[in-house]
Amino acid sequence: MAKILIIEDDLTFSQLLEGFLKKHGHQPFIVHDVKNSFKILAQHSFELLLVDYRLPDGTGLEVLSHVREKGLNYPVVIMTSFNDVRTAVKSIQLGAIDYITKPVNPDELLMTIGGALEKKTESGIQDTVEHADFIRGKSATADKLYAHIDLVAPTDMSVIIQGESGTGKEYAARTLHAQSKRSTKPFVAIDCGALSRDLAASELFGHVKGAFTGAVTDKKGQFEAAEGGTLFLDEVGNLSYEVQVKLLRALQERVIQPVGSTKKIAVNVRIITATNDDLLNSIQNGEFREDLYHRLNEFKILLPALRDRGRDLELFIDHFIRLSNEELDRNVQKLSAPVRDLLLNYDWPGNLRELKNVIKRMVLLTPTDTAGLEALPDEMILAIRQAPKPTGSDLKAINESNEKTLIIETLIKVKYNKSKAAKLLNIDRKTLYSKMERYEIE
């Protein structure tokens, strides 16, 4: 049984959630706005937070920020409407463990809660990763990526891994460690975005008893925990300026100084960092030290977004279907034509993480061997319809893009009945087949 805080302004929906969670053995608490969520978080501890994105006095992102600032290690799941999915992806970047769209499917909710509770770790440190979640692509982009990893892995160079949220930055870091001379030593991963400003220095460098309120014993930092191995700092751009200064000193002098101590400790670790954003922009804005950037950026690896990986997407889809079948005891062997087209044409703002979640949900909601459109989130269809069209003076490209979008929308509408689609489009079946082949619509 988990103690779960529901932050939701819809009274009816929150009551339904409360009843559903109680029925499945959980202990739910309900508040309806940001202000009262801060109060109850100060009075009680929880194992999970279910947070609506839009609240009367703010957003779920404010709750996320508050949890992080207070150093509270609670998994947060954002609940959002179809139109806010891209904002929900932003919440993942800020520390949410997952998101779920409304109307909430009961089976999906239980799966999300179970997964969030399983992923709960101490102090925002993630020590494990499921290597089976990832598969090596076969595109030219993937070949270039792994050539860079193979090249720099055996060295002790500091590496910055840059890529959008969900592109697999931690997996790339673990691959670098596994192929390095330090592979038999620890790999320690820290989510800098989940560290509070007050506790970040203590988490990285340790502290001595009495260094600050709550420091009742000496504590080793993660630099010491990673001794001889690799320290991975995810979202390094979130570190405060003061901690950046201490990190630079640690890299330059190869020593650390625990908070509240005068003793210096020699350390031998390789630093790998990751960021969603280009740190050069943060430098220009005065948010990140340029001298630290150059220390960290001895080699940079750019992880491509899923939408830029071409046919690798199909490999990932098939891979996640196999994993989900095993985990959920399902037997999905085929995708209907509308489903495959939708998956291949969606732009995947959450990248591999979003793809994995969508496929897992699809498999869960498919009792037969063939997945249909009803097993995909409605917001994906909405996103395809609202996808931006080409701009500029290339009239041919604009017309072709509009034509392809119209054909896809029509095929989805008639559940891929080619005769009905051709009739609605006012063309014959032969022309429709020709255009589908031209635009690679399967």
Side-chain angles (χ1 to χ4, degrees):
M1 180 178 74
K3 193 174 178 182
I4 299 175
L5 177 61
I6 301 168
I7 307 173
E8 167 64 64
D9 64 325
D10 186 321
L11 298 180
T12 302
F13 180 56
S14 61
Q15 289 172 356
L16 287 172
L17 272 180
E18 180 183 31
F20 179 75
L21 292 176
K22 283 182 176 178
K23 180 180 177 182
H24 287 85
H26 297 297
Q27 184 182 0
F29 291 73
I30 299 176
V31 293
H32 303 294
D33 52 40
V34 173
K35 181 180 178 180
N36 283 303
S37 73
F38 290 174
K39 290 180 180 178
I40 195 170
L41 285 168
Q43 298 167 353
H44 299 272
S45 60
F46 296 93
E47 293 169 77
L48 176 68
L49 274 57
L50 289 175
V51 185
D52 188 23
Y53 171 66
R54 295 188 182 275
L55 295 164
D57 56 344
T59 70
L61 301 187
E62 293 175 50
V63 179
L64 262 176
S65 297
H66 178 78
V67 167
R68 188 177 65 205
E69 288 169 5
K70 294 297 181 182
L72 302 173
N73 182 37
Y74 303 150
V76 177
V77 173
I78 294 290
M79 300 182 293
T80 181
S81 66
F82 295 152
N83 295 329
D84 290 323
V85 170
R86 278 161 176 73
T87 308
V89 172
K90 176 68 174 175
S91 72
I92 296 287
Q93 300 172 5
L94 294 176
I97 203 162
D98 208 342
Y99 70 88
I100 190 168
T101 55
K102 298 177 180 178
V104 174
N105 177 281
D107 289 334
E108 183 185 2
L109 177 61
L110 286 179
M111 180 178 70
T112 302
I113 289 174
L117 292 173
E118 287 176 8
K119 291 177 186 175
K120 185 176 181 184
T121 58
E122 297 182 3
S123 305
I125 302 166
Q126 299 173 341
D127 294 324
T128 61
V129 68
E130 298 172 14
H131 288 270
D133 281 0
F134 298 89
I135 182 172
R136 185 164 177 162
K138 297 181 179 179
S139 65
T141 302
D143 290 341
K144 180 179 178 181
L145 167 63
Y146 282 98
H148 284 174
I149 290 176
D150 294 342
L151 180 67
V152 76
T155 75
D156 262 347
M157 295 174 71
S158 297
V159 179
I160 291 180
I161 302 172
Q162 185 177 322
E164 295 179 8
S165 179
T167 49
K169 294 187 288 294
E170 183 173 342
Y171 174 71
R174 287 183 179 274
T175 303
L176 286 169
H177 174 72
Q179 295 179 202
S180 75
K181 299 172 185 177
R182 299 174 177 265
S183 59
T184 59
K185 300 295 184 179
F187 176 93
V188 176
I190 302 178
D191 181 358
C192 297
L195 295 178
S196 70
R197 180 178 293 269
D198 296 333
L199 296 178
S202 168
E203 199 63 61
L204 287 171
F205 310 114
H207 65 248
V208 297
K209 181 180 179 181
F212 50 85
T213 303
V216 294
T217 61
D218 291 353
K219 176 185 175 180
K220 284 187 176 182
Q222 298 309 313
F223 262 87
E224 287 186 82
E227 177 63 24
T230 303
L231 182 61
F232 173 56
L233 304 178
D234 196 6
E235 300 312 329
V236 68
N238 288 319
L239 292 177
S240 69
Y241 189 86
E242 295 79 9
V243 175
Q244 289 178 37
V245 172
K246 293 182 179 181
L247 178 58
L248 176 62
R249 187 179 302 123
L251 294 177
Q252 288 175 334
E253 301 175 10
R254 297 287 178 179
V255 296
I256 59 168
Q257 187 171 332
V259 177
S261 172
T262 58
K263 178 183 177 183
K264 292 185 177 180
I265 302 170
V267 290
N268 172 25
V269 298
R270 181 190 193 181
I271 301 294
I272 298 176
T273 56
T275 177
N276 287 318
D277 306 309
D278 189 342
L279 290 177
L280 291 175
N281 294 330
S282 299
I283 292 171
Q284 291 176 353
N285 296 331
E287 298 168 351
F288 201 82
R289 290 181 62 102
E290 185 173 5
D291 48 4
L292 175 58
Y293 172 78
H294 290 302
R295 277 281 176 178
L296 298 174
N297 188 35
E298 292 181 324
F299 193 92
K300 181 178 285 185
I301 291 177
L302 299 175
L303 291 187
L306 185 56
R307 60 184 169 275
D308 297 328
R309 298 195 60 165
R311 288 296 180 180
D312 280 351
L313 176 56
E314 295 184 71
L315 290 177
F316 295 139
I317 290 170
D318 294 339
H319 177 67
F320 286 132
I321 288 174
R322 287 194 297 272
L323 289 182
S324 299
N325 277 335
E326 292 175 9
E327 182 178 344
L328 302 172
D329 195 25
R330 288 287 197 266
N331 186 37
V332 176
Q333 301 297 326
K334 295 181 290 184
L335 301 175
S336 67
V339 168
R340 184 165 288 277
D341 268 349
L342 201 57
L343 292 177
L344 294 178
N345 283 283
Y346 183 59
D347 67 349
W348 299 108
N351 293 291
L352 284 169
R353 182 189 291 116
E354 183 182 13
L355 175 64
K356 178 191 173 186
N357 289 346
V358 166
I359 295 298
K360 192 172 181 180
R361 177 188 190 273
M362 179 192 76
V363 169
L364 177 71
L365 299 179
T366 303
T368 65
D369 67 347
T370 304
L373 273 179
E374 65 280 356
L376 292 180
D378 290 347
E379 70 268 15
M380 290 183 64
I381 299 175
L382 187 66
I384 288 288
R385 291 174 178 170
Q386 294 178 344
K389 306 297 187 294
T391 57
S393 57
D394 190 341
L395 184 60
K396 180 180 179 181
I398 294 172
N399 288 336
E400 287 182 350
S401 175
N402 289 337
E403 186 173 64
K404 179 179 179 180
T405 300
L406 179 60
I407 291 172
I408 291 172
E409 287 184 3
T410 304
L411 287 167
I412 291 174
K413 183 178 180 180
V414 298
K415 301 187 185 302
Y416 269 64
N417 183 311
K418 310 294 191 308
S419 297
K420 289 183 179 179
K423 187 175 181 180
L424 286 174
L425 292 166
N426 197 28
I427 56 178
D428 57 44
R429 282 173 58 92
K430 183 178 179 181
T431 302
L432 175 60
Y433 280 117
S434 175
K435 290 182 179 293
M436 287 176 65
E437 182 178 356
R438 177 182 178 185
Y439 297 133
E440 297 183 342
I441 303 173
E442 295 183 6

